[in-house]
Amino acid sequence: MDIQRTEQPDGLSLCGALDIGSVGAVWAALLPLREQSLSIDLSGVMFADTAGLQLLLILQRDAPTIQLNKPSDCLLLLAETLGQTSLFAEAL
């Protein structure tokens, strides 16, 4: 997982696999920023498993100032399969 800080908009861009192997690194990058208003660009996520989706659901619940943007097709498919399409309602 490649995690890049973005300035316009202020936030992070995620590229690669959002899965059990990478959620710890993503969480560690977000932890010091979670109280800020941030945008997370998810367009570069090429693979995601339920651990990745769970992280996004936790962020939606516990960090309302973080906005999830541009979900990739694999994230949309996973969310739809698991009945979690509301996760990306604002991003679409």
Side-chain angles (χ1 to χ4, degrees):
M1 171 62 65
D2 183 33
I3 305 166
Q4 297 292 321
R5 186 70 196 252
T6 60
E7 293 184 15
Q8 296 295 328
D10 189 27
L12 296 175
S13 175
L14 305 181
C15 295
L18 183 59
D19 60 9
I20 190 75
S22 65
V23 293
V26 174
W27 182 252
L30 286 168
L31 194 59
L33 307 172
R34 72 176 188 262
E35 300 296 326
Q36 301 176 25
S37 293
L38 295 175
S39 172
I40 301 178
D41 181 346
L42 300 167
S43 62
V45 175
M46 298 297 136
F47 173 80
D49 65 8
T50 56
L53 192 66
Q54 181 181 23
L55 172 66
L56 299 178
L57 288 165
I58 290 168
L59 286 174
Q60 182 186 50
R61 182 191 72 204
D62 295 345
T65 60
I66 294 179
Q67 183 177 14
L68 304 175
N69 291 317
K70 302 177 189 172
S72 65
D73 289 342
C74 75
L75 280 171
L76 291 173
L77 180 61
L78 181 61
E80 182 178 348
T81 301
L82 298 174
Q84 299 295 328
T85 54
S86 63
L87 177 63
F88 301 117
E90 291 182 23
L92 300 175

